[in-house]
Amino acid sequence: MTVQDKVLSKTLKIVGGKLLRNVDDISSIKKLINLLSKKGYIGTHVINTTIHSEDEKLVEHEILNYIIHSGEYTESMAYDVNELSLNMAIDMCSKGVFAYDLLPHNFTFHNGKWFLYDFDSFKFSPTKSITQIRGFFKIIFSNYEILRLISREELKHYYLTRYRIEDIFHIIPLSRWLYLFFNQSVCNILYAIGFHKLTYLYLRKLFRKYSKKHIKNYYLYSENQEFSNLNKILSKFDIKNAFCIGKEAGNWAIYNEQSISNIQKLVYIDDYKLCDEYYNYIVKNEFKNIIPAVLYPLVNDDEIPQEYKYRALYDSYTQERFYSDCVIALDIDINEDLLKNLSVFTSNILVIENRNYNIDIIGYLNSIFNKVEINEKYIIGTEKKSQTIPTANKPYKDGNRGPDARRQSRMVKALIKSQL
């Protein structure tokens, strides 16, 4: 698929299929790239980055097809990415590089590992590293305390969002707030007297007190799964990526991965516990081309009925992010509205199960695709008539900016109250 030119922020834009970032000091960026490369982070845990133009102070980043946001992480995902961020901060501090924004919302899951895609998260000066300390208390530790009061599933997309310490005082028990306040004060003092590496080490010690209580469970994948027929059909097409919806589609993703496929697969299972187990299974088996996520409407939440299953499929920002060569939707109940939204996500191929539906599936697919193939197990639409690329109908705000902290706190307080 062709990447459209667009302005992403004041410093970031896509031009001619290239992701370019304006920087203030190109020499510092060159030095940073060199240090991160020597440490083995570039391309493994940090986005591939090169100098595009020294004169124009432009760097070029790798373009990632699928980016998931921190509100879509499961608990295991969050523990893994936070462990990585602290280890990176400690490691780079030894080289005179200071982390100030190594926080969950700047990472995504890519190539079987957590991947920092916001390159502007390090500085050669420690002056901004206080932001890393504040972030861990306002975003990470605060959320861990909130999960003592409400489940990850009930917290929805407000997971890993920012809170003000003053607002957390009114949400969590006083003893736990004092615990956070005391430890943040210790970190602030360590930072103020210049013990920067010790500050990162202290943060990691606190983090591990939370993480040691987390038990990882693993998805039960049956080795008897049989998708050779579907793989044979899809092999006729030049598929680079596939959006997989439902547990059975997630099983296909694993089967396809074991077939040594290079198809990148985004797996959306509308079950927090199951998705967490699925993620742990993917990491344990070191699969490179599967990205699991607990998707949630990030721009159209208030407009989509709460009782809908797979609510994120109705969200315009989700449609923009996960527009794919192929959509595989199995073991889910399909109605006309859902089918319409499923077809938005694909540029060419839609695969659903062949079973009895209460709507005219074939008639609808014939209106969207030039070809519709039916076999014993699947209904497959190919050669999509319209190639309109979906775009979000409103901007996404990740909830991790200071001005949003109070609003986020109000929303979470209301969620906790509704669960009492």
Side-chain angles (χ1 to χ4, degrees):
M1 292 181 297
T2 302
V3 181
Q4 290 183 307
D5 287 2
K6 64 172 71 174
V7 175
L8 302 174
S9 68
K10 291 181 179 179
T11 59
L12 203 60
K13 59 187 176 183
I14 295 176
V15 180
K18 295 180 179 180
L19 179 59
L20 305 177
R21 182 193 295 272
N22 284 98
V23 298
D24 294 327
D25 186 349
I26 197 72
S27 60
S28 291
I29 293 297
K30 288 174 69 175
K31 183 180 177 182
L32 178 58
I33 291 173
N34 184 51
L35 286 171
L36 289 169
S37 296
K38 286 182 177 179
K39 282 289 186 179
Y41 287 129
I42 295 288
T44 55
H45 290 299
V46 178
I47 193 166
N48 281 307
T49 303
T50 57
I51 303 300
H52 181 78
S53 170
E54 291 196 38
D55 293 338
E56 298 179 67
K57 295 183 179 180
L58 285 174
V59 297
E60 181 179 338
H61 298 306
E62 174 187 2
I63 294 180
L64 306 180
N65 284 329
Y66 294 138
I67 291 179
I68 58 174
H69 292 291
S70 54
E72 298 167 322
Y73 297 171
T74 67
E75 290 185 67
S76 294
M77 291 179 178
Y79 282 115
D80 286 353
V81 73
N82 291 330
E83 178 81 25
L84 171 65
S85 71
L86 287 171
N87 288 341
M88 288 176 66
I90 293 164
D91 194 19
M92 294 305 294
C93 189
S94 301
K95 295 294 183 180
V97 178
F98 302 91
Y100 80 95
D101 206 14
L102 288 183
L103 297 168
H105 54 274
N106 289 326
F107 286 82
T108 192
F109 194 66
H110 174 74
N111 200 29
K113 299 179 183 295
W114 284 100
F115 209 68
L116 179 70
Y117 67 89
D118 188 345
F119 194 78
D120 187 26
S121 295
F122 298 99
K123 297 290 182 186
F124 283 99
S125 165
T127 54
K128 292 187 72 174
S129 58
I130 188 68
T131 306
Q132 188 76 22
I133 300 169
R134 291 170 179 162
F136 257 80
F137 283 94
K138 293 182 177 183
I139 296 174
I140 297 165
F141 298 148
S142 293
N143 270 275
Y144 288 159
E145 292 295 337
I146 284 170
L147 287 180
R148 291 169 174 255
L149 306 174
I150 187 172
S151 72
R152 167 67 189 91
E153 181 175 4
E154 293 165 337
L155 197 53
K156 303 179 181 180
H157 59 300
Y158 296 106
Y159 188 46
L160 296 175
T161 52
R162 184 181 297 269
Y163 303 92
R164 300 194 319 165
I165 279 294
E166 306 95 293
D167 292 327
I168 283 291
F169 177 82
H170 298 288
I171 298 177
I172 65 176
L174 177 60
S175 61
R176 299 308 303 174
W177 183 86
L178 290 172
Y179 174 82
L180 289 182
F181 180 78
F182 170 77
N183 284 295
Q184 184 171 4
S185 299
V186 171
C187 286
N188 288 342
I189 292 170
L190 290 173
Y191 167 80
I193 59 180
F195 292 162
H196 302 109
K197 186 172 182 178
L198 188 58
T199 306
Y200 295 138
L201 287 166
Y202 192 89
L203 284 173
R204 188 171 69 178
K205 180 181 177 181
L206 289 175
F207 165 74
R208 287 178 173 173
K209 287 184 178 180
Y210 288 103
S211 65
K212 72 179 182 180
K213 298 178 182 179
H214 177 66
I215 299 172
K216 288 193 173 184
N217 296 306
Y218 295 88
Y219 185 72
L220 298 176
Y221 173 72
S222 172
E223 296 293 340
N224 297 323
Q225 298 289 332
E226 181 51 63
F227 294 100
S228 58
N229 182 34
L230 181 55
N231 269 4
K232 184 178 180 180
I233 294 170
L234 295 177
S235 67
K236 302 174 187 176
F237 306 93
D238 183 23
I239 298 173
K240 297 292 191 299
N241 47 60
F243 185 22
C244 307
I245 303 159
K247 177 183 175 181
E248 194 68 7
N251 288 334
W252 170 81
I254 295 173
Y255 181 92
N256 184 264
E257 190 75 2
Q258 293 173 334
S259 304
I260 318 178
S261 166
N262 291 321
I263 298 175
Q264 189 175 39
K265 299 166 282 285
L266 189 287
V267 175
Y268 171 25
I269 301 173
D270 197 28
D271 182 305
Y272 286 85
K273 180 176 179 294
L274 198 60
C275 190
D276 190 66
E277 294 171 353
Y278 188 89
Y279 161 77
N280 289 329
Y281 182 87
I282 297 307
V283 172
K284 180 181 178 181
N285 287 276
E286 299 182 342
F287 293 141
K288 302 297 184 184
N289 296 302
I290 301 178
I291 303 171
V294 178
L295 302 182
Y296 206 85
L298 296 182
V299 301
N300 300 114
D301 185 36
D302 295 335
E303 303 156 31
I304 306 168
Q306 291 292 327
E307 67 272 13
Y308 277 20
K309 291 282 289 180
Y310 292 93
R311 293 182 68 246
L313 297 176
Y314 301 81
D315 180 68
S316 62
Y317 183 55
T318 309
Q319 293 166 358
E320 178 182 88
R321 284 185 294 153
F322 303 133
Y323 185 61
S324 305
D325 296 333
C326 175
V327 167
I328 300 175
L330 307 178
D331 76 320
I332 64 175
D333 295 326
I334 295 177
N335 56 42
E336 189 169 348
D337 197 18
L338 179 56
L339 185 60
K340 176 183 176 182
N341 282 278
L342 284 174
S343 65
V344 172
F345 283 92
T346 180
S347 65
N348 190 32
I349 303 166
L350 174 61
V351 180
I352 61 175
E353 282 183 299
N354 185 7
R355 55 189 174 95
N356 291 326
Y357 297 99
N358 294 324
I359 58 175
D360 181 12
I361 293 281
I362 306 303
Y364 180 82
L365 291 180
N366 278 320
S367 70
I368 300 296
F369 299 92
N370 287 316
K371 293 182 180 179
V372 177
E373 179 180 340
I374 306 170
N375 62 37
E376 185 180 349
K377 296 186 67 173
Y378 307 108
I379 303 173
I380 305 165
T382 60
E383 296 184 13
K384 191 177 180 184
K385 296 176 181 178
S386 171
Q387 296 296 319
T388 303
I389 299 175
T391 56
N393 58 14
K394 62 181 76 169
Y396 167 61
K397 297 180 179 180
D398 63 15
N400 286 301
R401 301 291 177 256
D404 291 322
R406 176 158 286 176
R407 180 183 65 83
Q408 298 290 142
S409 299
R410 288 199 304 268
M411 298 300 295
V412 171
K413 282 176 69 175
L415 278 175
I416 293 173
K417 185 177 181 180
S418 70
Q419 301 301 325
L420 295 178

